[in-house]
Amino acid sequence: MDQTQEKAFKIALLNEARAQGFTLCRVTHPGALPDAPVRLRAWLDKGAAGDMDWMRETEARRADPRILWPEVQSIIMLGMNYGPAEPPLAHLFEPERGNISVYARGRDYHDVIKGRLKLLAGWLLAHARKTRLVAEEPALKVFIDTAPVMEKPLAAAAGLGWQGRHSNLVSREAGSWLFLGSIFTTLPLSPDRPESDHCGSCHACLDICPTSAFPQPYVLDARRCISYLTIEHKGPIPPEFRKKIGNRIYGCDDCLAVCPWNKFAKAASETKLLARAEWTAPPLHLLLGLNDAAFRRFFAGSPIKRIGRVRFLRNVLIAAGNSGDRSLIVSVRTLLDDEAPLVRGAAIWALAELLPRTEFLTLAGRLAPREKDMSVLLEWVQAGVTEKGVFA
């Protein structure tokens, strides 16, 4: 296509993207990340991915879009705003409630955005046929973040924004409350110009991180990140981070919330992404009583459902231990009999925080000798119980 055709197409594409609810839409090329393989390999070699094994398993495809799909000629990057309507950190000061990351307070964005990407892709094919942009009908694939695509670097290369010191994308137009999606296509398009870094001397995102998860600006150590620990991490949360997690039971928004560029962010316009009251700051006592069926019912349609009841209750128990709320003791005590070792272990820690020491030691004297799982026994030991049941 000539330049006039391409310019008209990009304008039409942007208009259609906005009609589908996307805030930003720009184009990059599949070779836009020449240093990605080296940077990704160095990050993985440091162990910074934690137990996200899928990062290693998909390393080659993740580092180079042309390995993921050799036919790709252009990548259309899209951003959809999900800004909160209320101060995002307000519920951190309600210890009797669980704080859920803004992105997970509404319907699962994977479903919402994938549907909109498919509609936009359908429009693209129809428009290409109608205007005869190219001789052969273009092929395309749509991706949301379940695929091995480095959305943030590609979005920066396309000019949607830049990766800030917290490694998340920041847009001058829309701030950093953005979901990213992409359309890979064989349609040859000129890439848009990348955005330059506008963080300046600001390091508010680094300063606020509760667990010091940034060993240096622009680099995240997932093993120290509360979002990783409460969502991706499969085992017990390391003791050094438990107090710092506070009442965050799914994700963490601190580094996003303090970014000055969010003064340009707007509340989400997509109704399906709006926060639902029951998922915004649910009471801990309610969550502690969820069995597996009740958990799946309560979080039906939510991204939280993906991590399952066991991991989620681990998080809730950490929050309960941090709450200082003795009214939760009975609910926590019940979970010492849960069939999942991860839940029993977290319940031990929570009770060690909530109960007077003498009461906790009496309880431990009855229950610790019965435990067979080594990870749970370790929790008793860390709480002051020796392997013979004598209290340290």
Side-chain angles (χ1 to χ4, degrees), residues 13 20 22 68-69 72 74-78 109-125 138-149 151 154 180-186:
L13 175 65
Q20 294 298 339
F22 293 103
L68 179 62
W69 189 31
V72 61
S74 305
I75 299 175
I76 301 167
M77 293 301 305
L78 299 119
Y109 70 96
H110 297 92
D111 299 333
V112 176
I113 295 180
K114 191 166 188 177
R116 298 303 176 90
L117 286 172
K118 287 182 176 179
L119 289 172
L120 184 59
W123 172 90
L124 190 155
L125 289 176
L140 51 81
K141 297 177 183 287
V142 302
F143 296 107
I144 189 65
D145 69 4
T146 52
V149 176
E151 290 98 343
L154 285 169
L180 300 176
S182 60
I183 299 176
F184 284 34
T185 178
T186 57

Side-chain angles (χ1 to χ4, degrees), residues 8-22 25 120 123:
F9 169 75
K10 283 189 173 182
I11 292 173
L13 175 65
L14 176 59
N15 289 336
E16 183 62 23
R18 287 175 173 167
Q20 294 298 339
F22 293 103
C25 174
L120 184 59
W123 172 90

